[in-house]
Each structure stands twice: as C-alpha cells, then as structure tokens.
C-alpha cells in the first residue's frame, strides 16, 4: 500500500475512457514514460499520469538525469 501526500487538490473529475487518447509520439524518453494518456474535456487538456511508472523505484533513469538529481540541480 502506498499513500501520497499533496499540498492541495483543486478538483476531482470522472473522466470517460473514450476521452483519453494515448500520449503523442513526440513524448518519448523519461517524460513519456510517466504519461498514461491525455484527455480533452471541453477546452481543457488533462494529462493522466501512469502511477505505476511514477511510483516505480526500480526504474533506471538516464545517467545524466540521475546525476543531476544527486547533485541537486
């Protein structure tokens, strides 16, 4: 079991499955790994995170990014 703590939650929505599209091909690498899909509700675009990927502590990031994180950049 995993719990998440957030500073604030602005809104909760029920998003119909048919409103969710796969992430665009342009999002590859580290950013695309964490994105499950994109939903469009009216004029709003909502990015849906892949929580399994976000919470996966075993995922190996690229060495440069890993080094930047340990250096505090």
């Amino acid at each position: 079991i995993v719990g998440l703590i957030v500073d604030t939650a602005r809104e909760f929505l029920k998003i119909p499955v048919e409103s969710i599209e796969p992430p665009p091909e342009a999002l590859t690498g580290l950013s695309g790994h964490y994105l499950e899909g994109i939903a469009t509700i009216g004029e709003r675009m909502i990015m849906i995170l892949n929580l399994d990927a976000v919470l996966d502590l075993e995922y190996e990031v690229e060495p440069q990014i890993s080094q930047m994180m340990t250096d505090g950049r």
Side-chain angles (χ1 to χ4, degrees):
I1 297 177
V2 174
L4 300 174
I5 298 173
V6 298
D7 291 331
T8 183
R10 215 174 62 180
E11 185 176 6
F12 295 92
L13 297 172
K14 210 174 237 194
I15 299 174
V17 174
E18 60 272 4
S19 298
I20 302 171
E21 299 288 328
E25 292 292 323
L27 290 177
T28 58
L30 189 61
S31 298
H33 178 75
Y34 297 111
L35 192 59
E36 182 73 26
I38 297 178
T40 304
I41 308 283
E43 297 290 317
R44 297 171 63 186
M45 183 174 71
I46 301 166
M47 291 189 285
I48 300 170
L49 292 177
N50 177 338
L51 288 180
D52 288 335
V54 170
L55 300 174
D56 182 9
L57 301 177
E58 300 296 319
Y59 180 73
E60 188 173 324
V61 294
E62 296 176 32
Q64 305 95 342
I65 295 170
S66 181
Q67 185 62 44
M68 287 172 54
M69 291 169 65
T70 49
D71 289 347
R73 289 188 248 164

